[in-house]
Amino acid sequence: MVISYQWLRDYLPVSLTADELSSILTSIGLEVEAVEPVEAVKGGLNGVVTGHVLTCERHPNADKLSITTVDAGAGEPLNIVCGAPNVAAGQKVIVATVGATLYPTEGEPLTIKKAKIRGAESAGMICAEDELGMGTSHAGIMLLPADTPVGMPARQYFNLPETDYAIHIGLTPNRSDANSHIGVARDVCAWLSHHRGGNNQVCLPQIVPAATGDVPEGAPAITVKIEAADACPRYAGIGISNVTIGPSPEWLQRRLATIGVRSINNVVDVTNYVLHEYGQPLHAFDAGKIAGGEIVVKHLPEGTTFLALDDKERKLRAEDLMICDASGPIAMGGVFGGKYSGITEETRHVFLESAYFTPMGIRRTSLHHGLRTDAATHFEKGVDVNNVLPALYRAAAMIAGVSGGVPYGGVSDVYPALLHRTEVTVRYDYIRMLSGKDYSADAIKTILLALGFVIAEESEEGLLLGVPSNKPDVSQPADIVEEILRIDGLDNITIPERLNISLTGQLPSDRKVRERTATLLCGAGMQEIVTNSIVNSKYYPEREGLVRMINSLTSELDCMRPSMLEGGLEVIQYNCNRKNTDLALFEFGNVYVRAEKGYEQEARVALWITGNVRSAYWQGKALPADIFYLKGLVNNMLAYAGIKGVAIAYDGDAQVWKWKNKELCRIYQVPAATRKTFDIKQDVFYAEVNWDLWYQAATAAAVKYSEVAKFPSVQRDLALVLDRKVTYQQVQEVTAQQKIAELQTFGLFDVFESEKLGAGKKSLALNYTFQLHDRTLTDAETGALMNKLADAYKNKLNAVIRD
């Protein structure tokens, strides 16, 4: 939330600097995240004055420069070299003195220094309007009237408003009472009363019920009817006739601009002004476009269409609350206005709405239709039902003042069932216990009364409090303690010398295996990432069983991820766009799918590699990522976890690794069409591990210790000529079937293909390591083992042994 320092000062009984105010706000829980100066002209024209050109002569060393002497009202005249074609003696001008910093309309800031220009000394600058940041003209210097006083600060001459400050507050969602300038002022006044004494009241704007007369000729009489009181407990409105739509006064535009609100026209600007003043959203209708002269607040049938201000037609849900006239919906209650009932330059009569809508309904409608308006964000946090009329009166009077209109017809205030205030009983000893501070009863009452609480009953033990209607978050004694602590100052909470903490609960059972796996992957040069488990459903246009969000934060984050792939691709896209193209990433997370009964959540670990997995260096070239490198990483993970008995199958272009006939891991190259969705132009290789099954396999693996063998191992090589269709996995399976106890390891170290081998043939070169723990194998024994393997390959794979 952003508030204006100058605007806030209007409601405070004492003067506080921006720094003092920032300190107070942070102390009471309204954390100030930034304070930015807001000036009509950047820099405030500090060091810039009016001057009188006494003399003007051509520069002897430059045809387009002039040497002037200028009286700037501060002692000796200044020598200034000027390049403007219109400079002449006798003129009154704007002069930037040495040390002044100018912020031109275009270009970088310029600090004025003494200088020599073509040999002539210059101690200042005679300014054009674009050099001051006050326009775009650079045709010549600004010329002032002849009677302009000399030495007057330019800020004073141009009557610039006092510097304002945009104060950015990190407002927590429960603090709807502080979601306005008056709400913030109320907290500041409570702090002043507690810390500085006295009865510091908010200086509220004078609210006089709008003087209304009969309906003037040509102005429609508008009545109000509520048919959905559960969603709209209160609705009020008033007509304003004979308005003139135009730009807002400069002061109003300036205040809205300070808090980042764009000026639209005088009527709409007033509704925005009162919204940020009181925290009460308002809406202005063109009264002449309200068909039938009646406003009806109700729900419409499912699928009803509504054309909004943004020219988009939306299909309504039955639960969406609508503001209707005789022709149909004219606004989405508390969220967005309609196309045909809005204020235009032709509007002559206005119907001004001020209402209380229930937070839950507004939030659901706003999120469903993707309309995150200021009004919706205020209503969904909860507004003060007792501000409905004061805000309406305030806005009606302001609109009359800035547009020339006249309120008419009386106020329609439909409030069928009063909302009763919340009452909370709190004991003094509870306050002292929970806060850790020995507050006196008087101090407690001072704070609570300053915040608007009503003491319904009082005893020696405690208070029965009526909670102000602007604090929907206060409902229990702990909330009262929080309010007291805030105003006393969160930075005044005493921190004890010793804290006693009892930790209970168990760590996740897979934590050790997970940490070991993460350590392995980091050691292999990979980086761990954490991505959002809520993703965009557009990534899965044909996928069924998506777990969709009911109340999505945005239209782009609307479903739970069914796969880890897309989150990592977003990270790769972000990095590639910033020329960081060599990436090896992994992530632990969950995926979500619909099941026959409800939903299922499954743990995953995902790996992505792209670009180069090794940079070029003096002994070798860069090593590009490929599917085999990723497969090697997964193999290392298997070996590190002690998982055995994994079989590899193929599903199209993907390798599917299975354990006990269940899919343990899937490895593949990300298709080009998928990469195109993320605008990734380089190859990406991906592996997704079923972590639940992996953990099960890792814990099932028996770890056995054996001492280092005392006898040497024997290595042998073998080259097989096979059909190209024969996979290395088949070779592995045949080898394992021989159950040779002496065989410690074997692996593939070369693949060779050539027409010399025969059509459709390939050669696999394999290395074998044999070893016994009680003696050394003889050559004859090793040869017999190799013959056994060769015969198995011949019989089962039709292999030919190469010499």
Side-chain angles (χ1 to χ4, degrees), residues 282-310:
L282 305 168
H283 188 73
F285 296 97
D286 186 328
K289 296 177 181 177
I290 299 176
E294 184 181 41
I295 290 284
V296 182
V297 185
K298 62 181 181 179
H299 299 291
L300 294 174
E302 185 87 21
T304 303
T305 58
F306 169 64
L307 184 61
L309 276 172
D310 58 1

Side-chain angles (χ1 to χ4, degrees), residues 23 142 167 228 276 474 478 538 573 578 605-606 620 633 648 715:
S23 177
M142 293 183 71
I167 302 176
H276 291 282
V474 176
K538 75 175 184 181
Q573 175 196 41
R578 289 154 181 81
V605 58
L633 286 173
I648 299 178
Q715 294 196 6

Side-chain angles (χ1 to χ4, degrees), residues 681-696:
K681 297 178 174 60
Q682 60 192 50
D683 289 338
V684 179
F685 302 92
Y686 176 68
E688 185 165 309
V689 174
N690 182 335
W691 182 250
D692 293 327
L693 186 60
W694 185 282
Y695 176 66
Q696 182 183 341

Side-chain angles (χ1 to χ4, degrees), residues 772-795:
L772 290 174
H773 287 273
D774 57 351
R775 63 184 177 84
T776 302
L777 283 165
T778 65
D779 287 342
E781 289 172 327
T782 305
L785 295 174
M786 289 298 295
N787 289 334
K788 181 179 181 180
L789 289 168
D791 290 342
Y793 297 144
K794 291 176 184 178
N795 296 329

